[in-house]
Amino acid sequence: MIELLSPNPPGWGGTLLLGLLHSIEIALGATCLGLLIGTGGAFGKLYGGPVVRDLLAVYTTIVRAVPELVLILLLYYAGTDLINQALTAMGYQRVDISGLAAGIAVLGFVQGAYSTEVIRGAILAIPQGQIEAARAYGMSPGLMLRRITLPAMLPFAIPGLANLWLIATKDTALLAVVGFYELALATRQAAGVTKAYFTFFFAAAVLYLLLSLVSNFLIGRVEAWSRRGMPSLKEAR
Amino acid sequence: MANEAAIINVVARTSLWLQPHRIVLILIALGLVLGAIFFMRWDWLPQYYEMGLLGIWRSLWILAVTCVLGFLFAVPLGLAQATGSFWFAAPAKVFCTVIRGTPLLIQLWLLYYGLGSLFPQYPWIRESWMWPYLRQAWPYGVLALTLSFAGYEGEVMRGAFAGVPKGQLEAARAFGMSRWKIFRRIWLPQAFYRALPTLTGETVLQLKSTPLVATISVIDIFAVSSKVRQDTYLTYEPLLLLALIYMTITGILVFAFSRIEARIPNKIG
């Protein structure tokens, strides 16, 4: 068993670790993309016109009602198809979309819907007086966003966003079904070749668990940092 | 008079909802749907109609069974974490952390491929009454989804049990109720009411996890759509229909839960 899991070529440990690296890359990219979409979406939902608000409601409702696996398949095929059609229409060659970019785009789109809701809730939780004060100082909307709204909403948004990050790390496993090379697929390959199914799936589970435990620890630090200067949760109770 | 007022009320509400831009959006959506109906290929539908219904039935069956079993398992998990001694609380905590920290797909594959490849090595398992079940895929799917639901819901139930006001339990004790009766009449119902809103979300999440069992060769609605895609070489039509089916089930679930929630006395805590 130790031999099977050793990081050098006769063992498959290196393959698993490479898969884990790909998973983390996809999860990081998807979370960043999701945060961008989510911030835009939250501002659209709160301050946008009626059409923007309704379209965003449709986006978040549909994404949250359809299983991730189905969304991944749909977005993957539709996305690559649309890009290639656009390219051929403009007279370029068809391209193969890299698995990493496609995975990040698809998961980011899904994450965007969830983070829209989280960030919207967090912005609503900011005491109104702070925003009014900023407006009274004559801050421009951009400055107000950078100096007041985003930092003030962080302590309210981080627990929700942390959940989303954990979901993103676990959703990367779904990409194995579409054939992206990441930890779940690497595990399946290693297990299929060596027939040591239990060993490898157990090892993969441990790797994912370690990833989420380390994330939990880091998130705790970030949360403490974002709440600096605020009364601690224990005292508030 | 009351009738007229009600009608005016309804008219006011619909006119508030049907603003001009919404009418345009609805028309665009209708156009997209009609376009999909007329310009995409749906001639495979009659052939796969029965298989599809069976697939939907199987998905719903897995959803119902795993949610009920998972909830039954989540109650002791939550109780152990909320009030149990260290020796009860620690294993429950570890179980919840492990389930929530690893992807369901890996748990499913660990159970099906991993355990499934270990079992045949032991003759006493192969000769037992369980073997006909252990050879099939669905028991592993049901087990994995049940454990997953229990892990997530156990964490919710921990908060719900801990959130029941102490005074209510003390009052029950003052009435001379036995511990079991307090649990059955006061503690569990109060915790259940508190957990209900999150229970809706968990059930929808569970519905969205059911397609994973298709990866271990259980023929649910997702597997049916994959088969259609393989047979007909169509990419979008089966997937779009599949998304529509899941959205419909989600809508029905959310509506049903909101009706149940409305029946619950709303002054708790």
Side-chain angles (χ1 to χ4, degrees), chain B residues 6-268:
Chain B
I7 290 171
I8 292 170
N9 208 352
V10 167
V11 169
R13 228 182 285 156
T14 35
S15 70
L16 203 68
W17 196 81
L18 273 180
Q19 291 153 351
H21 74 275
R22 288 224 168 113
I23 296 177
V24 175
L25 285 180
I26 289 170
L27 285 180
I28 294 175
L30 266 182
L32 283 177
V33 170
L34 286 178
I37 290 177
F38 287 113
F39 293 109
M40 293 177 118
R41 279 188 51 199
W42 299 102
D43 51 338
W44 46 271
L45 262 182
Q47 203 186 333
Y48 292 95
Y49 171 70
E50 274 179 26
M51 202 195 251
L53 281 187
L54 193 69
I56 294 178
W57 169 246
R58 219 167 263 173
S59 291
L60 289 178
W61 182 85
I62 291 176
L63 174 70
V65 169
T66 57
C67 281
V68 170
L69 287 181
F71 184 77
L72 291 181
F73 197 33
V75 169
L77 276 176
L79 203 59
Q81 285 185 76
T83 54
S85 66
F86 174 80
W87 297 109
F88 284 114
K93 183 87 201 149
V94 168
F95 175 81
C96 287
T97 313
V98 169
I99 291 288
R100 284 150 44 100
T102 51
L104 180 54
L105 193 65
I106 293 289
Q107 296 164 16
L108 194 63
W109 287 355
L110 179 65
L111 287 179
Y112 180 65
Y113 296 112
L115 278 185
S117 71
L118 291 186
F119 282 150
Q121 298 168 9
Y122 302 101
W124 62 270
I125 290 183
R126 272 202 302 201
E127 281 151 22
S128 75
W129 57 271
M130 275 159 34
W131 184 240
Y133 296 102
L134 290 178
R135 274 196 328 195
Q136 293 171 30
W138 65 264
Y140 297 96
V142 167
L143 180 63
L145 284 172
T146 302
L147 291 182
S148 156
F149 191 84
Y152 284 92
E153 195 58 29
E155 203 65 22
V156 174
M157 288 311 286
R158 175 181 64 94
F161 276 123
V164 175
K166 281 252 157 49
Q168 294 198 7
L169 302 179
E170 276 163 17
R173 211 171 298 141
F175 267 113
M177 288 188 191
S178 69
R179 286 176 110 180
W180 168 240
K181 210 176 227 175
I182 294 175
F183 176 73
R184 196 162 44 94
R185 287 215 186 142
I186 316 284
W187 212 2
L188 184 62
Q190 288 284 329
F192 181 70
Y193 294 165
R194 274 155 202 280
L196 200 61
T198 40
L199 206 62
T200 317
E202 291 295 336
T203 314
V204 172
L205 285 183
Q206 184 77 352
L207 169 72
K208 299 202 299 174
S209 316
T210 54
L212 291 185
V213 297
T215 60
I216 58 166
S217 74
V218 176
I219 311 286
D220 71 333
I221 183 63
F222 181 84
V224 172
S225 120
S226 307
K227 185 171 163 43
V228 173
R229 284 195 301 137
Q230 269 173 18
D231 291 356
T232 58
Y233 300 110
L234 292 170
T235 336
Y236 297 114
E237 287 87 344
L239 280 175
L240 284 176
L241 189 62
L242 188 65
L244 188 70
I245 290 172
Y246 279 115
M247 268 155 52
T248 315
I249 302 177
T250 307
I252 294 172
L253 275 180
V254 170
F255 177 74
F257 270 100
S258 74
R259 292 298 293 271
I260 298 175
E261 251 174 79
R263 290 170 62 107
I264 283 176
N266 53 5
K267 282 197 177 157
I268 47 171

Side-chain angles (χ1 to χ4, degrees), chain A residues 183 200-210, chain B residues 101-103 106-107 110:
Chain A
L183 182 50
F200 280 109
F201 285 122
F202 192 75
V206 169
L207 284 180
Y208 276 113
L209 190 61
L210 278 178
Chain B
T102 51
I106 293 289
Q107 296 164 16
L110 179 65

Side-chain angles (χ1 to χ4, degrees), chain A residues 109-222:
Chain A
F109 186 80
V110 177
Q111 287 270 312
Y114 289 90
S115 38
T116 298
E117 293 297 308
V118 170
I119 294 175
R120 189 182 67 102
I123 292 177
L124 283 178
I126 302 174
Q128 266 300 305
Q130 297 192 4
I131 293 182
E132 275 166 18
R135 219 171 274 148
Y137 267 110
M139 284 192 189
S140 68
L143 194 65
M144 198 167 80
L145 174 73
R146 203 153 44 84
R147 286 222 184 129
I148 311 292
T149 314
L150 287 184
M153 71 157 212
L154 262 190
F156 304 112
I158 280 187
L161 295 179
N163 269 343
L164 285 183
W165 159 253
L166 291 178
I167 292 175
T169 57
K170 289 185 289 167
D171 270 0
T172 54
L174 296 182
L175 294 173
V177 177
V178 208
F180 290 140
Y181 193 77
E182 43 64 67
L183 182 50
L185 192 64
T187 313
R188 206 173 177 181
Q189 243 176 26
V193 170
T194 56
K195 302 285 173 217
Y197 290 97
F198 192 83
T199 313
F200 280 109
F201 285 122
F202 192 75
V206 169
L207 284 180
Y208 276 113
L209 190 61
L210 278 178
L211 178 58
S212 60
L213 288 180
V214 170
S215 305
N216 270 340
F217 172 73
L218 291 178
I219 289 163
R221 300 287 294 267
V222 172

